[in-house]
Amino acid sequence: MSRILIVEDETKIARFITLELEHEGYEVRSAADGREGLTLYESWRPDLIILDLMLPRLSGIEVCRRLRQTSDVPIIMLTAKDDVSDKVMGLDMGADDYMTKPFAIEELLARIRVCLKKHRPDTHAGAGARTAGKLRIEPASYSASYDGEPVALTKKEFDLLNYLWQHEGVAVTRDELLSNVWGYEFAGDTNIVDVYIRYLRQKIDDKYGIKLIHTIRAVGYMFRHE
Ligand code: CA
């Protein structure tokens, strides 16, 4: 699951973006000024940064400039108004994209997906691909197939399958799945895990008459390929 750092001093906006991103399954942290943003970047190493330009202590432009000295982490800038010179300066400093406030959250989500995809390190063909019998998944492109035929999985279904598969042969608890696949930091309603497991089984196990996702009674689930 991708980690996203929000550097934004307007708490309402930071909170709103945080909730939306968490809802999408991202792991999110936020910093309220430029210095805190840089510190948090160093310690937490997020996969993407949403960076407001008007920040106390250290401006967004300066944060961007310093980040670019050592890192090519994707940066999406937020500008308060439609100020062309700010955008140009931000892009010159190496930001990947920008959004003008106020913006539609869907548009920010779309741009985040594009940025993350572009920067994903293992997009080379076959990198990270896994097979179990005739089932094959390619995490880099979120694609799955069975005997060459595409298996249509939603992002969440894919993440769940991928997580279980990464822990092949290990019983994974519902709470662990909730926190790692859904990004919930504390134990919540685990019914959603069972619902998605059912979807996965319908699309894979039941459909192809195989058994990959096993229920481990009183624990959770396990991916195992005989
Ligand atoms: Ca601001």
PDB file of all heavy atoms in Angstrom, residues 8-10 52 54, ligand 1:
ATOM      1  N   GLU A   8       0.660  20.537   4.591  1.00  0.00           N
ATOM      2  CA  GLU A   8      -0.404  21.543   4.418  1.00  0.00           C
ATOM      3  C   GLU A   8      -0.720  22.137   5.786  1.00  0.00           C
ATOM      4  O   GLU A   8      -0.975  21.410   6.740  1.00  0.00           O
ATOM      5  CB  GLU A   8      -1.635  20.837   3.816  1.00  0.00           C
ATOM      6  CG  GLU A   8      -2.940  21.592   3.884  1.00  0.00           C
ATOM      7  CD  GLU A   8      -2.939  22.867   3.075  1.00  0.00           C
ATOM      8  OE1 GLU A   8      -2.506  23.898   3.619  1.00  0.00           O
ATOM      9  OE2 GLU A   8      -3.365  22.822   1.899  1.00  0.00           O
ATOM     10  N   ASP A   9      -0.650  23.478   5.877  1.00  0.00           N
ATOM     11  CA  ASP A   9      -0.891  24.118   7.174  1.00  0.00           C
ATOM     12  C   ASP A   9      -2.375  24.368   7.449  1.00  0.00           C
ATOM     13  O   ASP A   9      -2.744  24.627   8.584  1.00  0.00           O
ATOM     14  CB  ASP A   9      -0.109  25.431   7.282  1.00  0.00           C
ATOM     15  CG  ASP A   9      -0.471  26.391   6.170  1.00  0.00           C
ATOM     16  OD1 ASP A   9      -0.560  25.934   5.011  1.00  0.00           O
ATOM     17  OD2 ASP A   9      -0.669  27.580   6.444  1.00  0.00           O
ATOM     18  N   GLU A  10      -3.191  24.314   6.437  1.00  0.00           N
ATOM     19  CA  GLU A  10      -4.627  24.490   6.679  1.00  0.00           C
ATOM     20  C   GLU A  10      -5.202  23.144   7.125  1.00  0.00           C
ATOM     21  O   GLU A  10      -5.374  22.225   6.322  1.00  0.00           O
ATOM     22  CB  GLU A  10      -5.322  24.983   5.410  1.00  0.00           C
ATOM     23  CG  GLU A  10      -5.027  26.440   5.117  1.00  0.00           C
ATOM     24  CD  GLU A  10      -5.433  26.831   3.710  1.00  0.00           C
ATOM     25  OE1 GLU A  10      -6.623  27.068   3.476  1.00  0.00           O
ATOM     26  OE2 GLU A  10      -4.549  26.866   2.839  1.00  0.00           O
ATOM     27  N   ASP A  52       1.652  21.728  -0.188  1.00  0.00           N
ATOM     28  CA  ASP A  52       1.088  23.065  -0.346  1.00  0.00           C
ATOM     29  C   ASP A  52       2.235  24.044  -0.555  1.00  0.00           C
ATOM     30  O   ASP A  52       3.327  23.860  -0.020  1.00  0.00           O
ATOM     31  CB  ASP A  52       0.288  23.422   0.917  1.00  0.00           C
ATOM     32  CG  ASP A  52      -0.444  24.738   0.746  1.00  0.00           C
ATOM     33  OD1 ASP A  52      -0.895  25.036  -0.376  1.00  0.00           O
ATOM     34  OD2 ASP A  52      -0.564  25.468   1.747  1.00  0.00           O
ATOM     35  N   MET A  54       2.113  27.550   0.010  1.00  0.00           N
ATOM     36  CA  MET A  54       2.178  28.578   1.047  1.00  0.00           C
ATOM     37  C   MET A  54       2.216  27.909   2.407  1.00  0.00           C
ATOM     38  O   MET A  54       1.190  27.492   2.932  1.00  0.00           O
ATOM     39  CB  MET A  54       0.945  29.485   0.958  1.00  0.00           C
ATOM     40  CG  MET A  54       0.811  30.204  -0.367  1.00  0.00           C
ATOM     41  SD  MET A  54       2.023  31.513  -0.545  1.00  0.00           S
ATOM     42  CE  MET A  54       1.266  32.768   0.487  1.00  0.00           C
TER      43      MET A  54
HETATM   44 CA    CA B   1      -1.051  27.005   3.049  1.00  0.00          CA
END
